[in-house]
Amino acid sequence: MKQVIKMRMAFSMVLACLVLSSCVKDRITRTYSIRTPIYASKSAILAGLSAEEPRPIDKTGKIWWYGNYIFMNDPGNGIHIINNSDPARPVVKAFIKLPGNIDIAVKGNILYADLYADMLAIDISDPMNPVQKKLVENIFPERNYQYGYNTNPDQIIIGWNTKDTIVEVDGPINTPGWFCVNCQIAFSGDTKAGGDGIGGSMARFSIVNDYLYTVSTSTLSSFTIAKPEDPTLVNANPFGWNIETVYPFRDKLFIGSSSGMFIADISNPASPQLVGSFSHANACDPVVADDNHAYVTLRTGTECMGTSNQLDVLDITNISNPVLLKTYSMANPFGLGIKGDFLYICDGDAGLKVFNKKQPLNIEPVQRIEVADTYDVIIRQSLLILVAGDGLRQYRIGEDGKLSHLSTLKTN
């Protein structure tokens, strides 16, 4: 009898251990790459503003095309200045080191660029000797927050220290469950984080005559740049939430957000007025337009939190009430551009796609350029500039809309 009781007690103890998972534990080893920021004072960065010798293109970013020059930023690091007098042989002339830079625009000899939450006006009359003309503070307040923590307004992140760390944790684990202050964490092996001039459809800066328009997460800001070296804020208009892009067409601005498209009338350029909108499911959505139609790409992805990859064609004949005409399936579309009857779409790793849009209800494929990680395009006259993962590409546009390759400035 005692033996039976002992056996029952032992069985009960084993069962309790299994149920409570407190007697037997697996140990799992995980490797993290922990990155902590390197700071410099904002005053030191501004005092040391200068152009360096050309450097290899590390990452491609936003572009602005002005005269014979292309300005392309290396996201978070600075701006490449490229002489494009001969599109078949572009030459990188200089690099302006500017930590935290994401967006750019140019009017005359003045380059406008963000520096985290602030905006700079930089004289580039001599591209090799840029001169700061004005600093406008806190135009992009959401960028005071980087990777989950609040940056010091007087300090600028200029780089990162990276250290691989191996830790043992109780398993099994589905999520890391770690909290990190003032650092970035990524699992080892992860590599994904990606008259006037003209910008691409992914731009957050736009220039129309004597006004510069910028968008932050929730606000459309208007600056008078009648004196280009002295951008002066004249209006800050809340337009919604998660605003991403701004695209000018005649006397309108088409503003893309993660929840829809807004249309602002700039007949009074100092005071844009909301005149129309179109809502869609949550997704990133650059937008371009012609006389009667707007073209919006929606995509999935970590930042976009979208559920669809598609092209929406909207009838904007009644500007106050855009109407969805048709949706076309895409792979993972980003920026896009228009020339005449042709539509050019950066469809991520599916390449640069050319469509005949003469019949909006029956857009027909014309050509596909096989290049990975396509991001945005700028079109002027018969030249198309493409930003892709492997570099800055240029193409000649034929009368049939098809593209012929001219040059590629390769990434490092």
Side-chain angles (χ1 to χ4, degrees):
M1 184 65 178
K2 291 181 179 180
Q3 184 68 23
V4 172
I5 292 174
K6 289 181 179 179
M7 291 177 64
R8 286 179 177 175
M9 290 177 64
F11 177 77
S12 297
M13 292 176 64
V14 171
L15 180 61
C17 285
L18 292 175
V19 172
L20 297 176
S21 299
S22 60
C23 299
V24 180
K25 290 183 180 179
D26 294 330
R27 303 298 289 177
I28 293 178
T29 298
R30 288 209 171 192
T31 301
Y32 298 89
S33 178
I34 299 180
R35 305 174 67 201
T36 54
I38 303 168
Y39 291 98
S41 70
K42 185 191 297 184
S43 59
I45 293 296
L46 296 177
L49 184 69
S50 63
E52 303 176 350
E53 291 297 318
R55 63 165 63 179
I57 298 172
D58 183 26
K59 294 177 293 184
T60 54
K62 304 289 183 74
I63 50 176
W64 193 273
W65 186 0
Y66 188 87
N68 289 327
Y69 283 88
I70 297 172
F71 301 83
M72 180 176 70
N73 83 320
D74 181 327
N77 295 314
I79 302 162
H80 298 278
I81 301 177
I82 302 165
N83 187 321
N84 201 47
S85 299
D86 182 359
R89 297 174 181 82
V91 179
V92 182
K93 301 295 290 184
F95 182 78
I96 299 176
K97 190 173 182 179
L98 197 61
N101 174 249
I102 299 295
D103 276 275
I104 51 180
V106 178
K107 182 177 176 65
N109 293 321
I110 301 298
L111 167 68
Y112 306 98
D114 56 350
L115 176 70
Y116 288 107
D118 304 333
M119 185 179 74
L120 290 174
I122 303 170
D123 189 327
I124 51 170
S125 301
D126 178 0
M128 289 305 299
N129 291 287
V131 178
Q132 177 197 336
K133 304 300 289 186
K134 188 172 183 178
L135 173 69
V136 186
E137 295 187 310
N138 209 36
I139 296 301
F140 313 102
E142 71 278 2
R143 296 205 59 214
N144 280 315
Y145 295 85
Q146 297 293 318
Y147 308 108
Y149 61 88
N150 190 11
T151 60
N152 185 328
D154 297 323
Q155 298 289 309
I156 295 296
I157 299 172
I158 60 172
W160 299 86
N161 284 320
T162 302
K163 180 181 179 181
D164 287 341
T165 301
I166 300 175
V167 296
E168 278 194 347
V169 293
D170 293 335
I173 304 176
N174 293 322
T175 57
W178 283 78
F179 178 75
C180 181
V181 178
N182 284 15
C183 66
Q184 291 181 303
I185 300 180
F187 288 110
S188 291
D190 281 354
T191 56
K192 292 183 179 179
D196 292 320
I198 184 172
S201 65
M202 303 293 286
R204 298 172 70 97
F205 287 14
S206 184
I207 292 176
V208 181
N209 299 322
D210 287 334
Y211 284 84
L212 167 68
Y213 300 98
T214 68
V215 292
S216 65
T217 299
S218 61
T219 303
L220 171 66
S221 297
S222 309
F223 297 83
T224 176
I225 51 173
K227 295 181 179 179
E229 72 281 4
D230 184 27
T232 302
L233 181 66
V234 294
N235 197 312
N237 194 348
F239 256 71
W241 197 249
N242 288 335
I243 295 175
E244 298 159 341
T245 60
V246 57
Y247 176 85
F249 183 72
R250 296 185 178 169
D251 62 348
K252 301 291 187 295
L253 296 177
F254 291 80
I255 300 165
S257 79
S258 65
S259 59
M261 177 191 74
F262 302 99
I263 304 173
D265 186 284
I266 52 173
S267 299
N268 177 1
S271 182
Q273 299 297 314
L274 179 65
V275 293
S277 64
F278 174 78
S279 297
H280 56 62
N282 215 43
C284 293
D285 77 329
V287 53
V288 296
D290 56 25
D291 287 328
N292 298 312
H293 301 96
Y295 305 86
V296 183
T297 57
L298 310 182
R299 73 180 184 275
T300 59
T302 302
E303 295 179 358
C304 307
M305 298 180 292
T307 58
S308 300
N309 290 292
Q310 64 194 54
L311 168 71
D312 283 351
V313 181
L314 308 178
D315 185 333
I316 56 171
T317 305
N318 180 355
I319 202 72
S320 63
N321 184 34
V323 176
L324 178 63
L325 291 180
K326 191 168 181 178
T327 292
Y328 295 86
S329 178
M330 293 284 156
N332 192 224
F334 285 74
L336 66 169
I338 292 174
K339 178 176 172 56
D341 289 335
F342 299 97
L343 182 65
Y344 300 83
I345 299 178
C346 296
D347 202 6
D349 286 339
L352 176 61
K353 296 180 178 179
V354 184
F355 297 89
N356 187 319
K357 66 175 183 63
K358 191 171 184 178
Q359 301 295 330
L361 293 176
N362 186 30
I363 290 179
E364 297 181 343
V366 172
Q367 184 184 19
R368 181 171 74 91
I369 305 295
E370 294 187 8
V371 56
D373 196 17
T374 55
Y375 178 70
D376 203 6
V377 294
I378 288 180
I379 298 170
R380 174 173 280 173
Q381 297 177 352
S382 62
L383 193 63
L384 179 145
I385 298 175
L386 167 68
V387 179
D390 69 347
L392 184 74
R393 292 170 165 256
Q394 298 192 63
Y395 297 86
R396 185 71 63 195
I397 304 174
E399 292 185 1
D400 58 359
K402 291 185 177 181
L403 303 173
S404 54
H405 181 256
L406 291 174
S407 62
T408 299
L409 277 175
K410 289 280 190 179
T411 52
N412 194 17

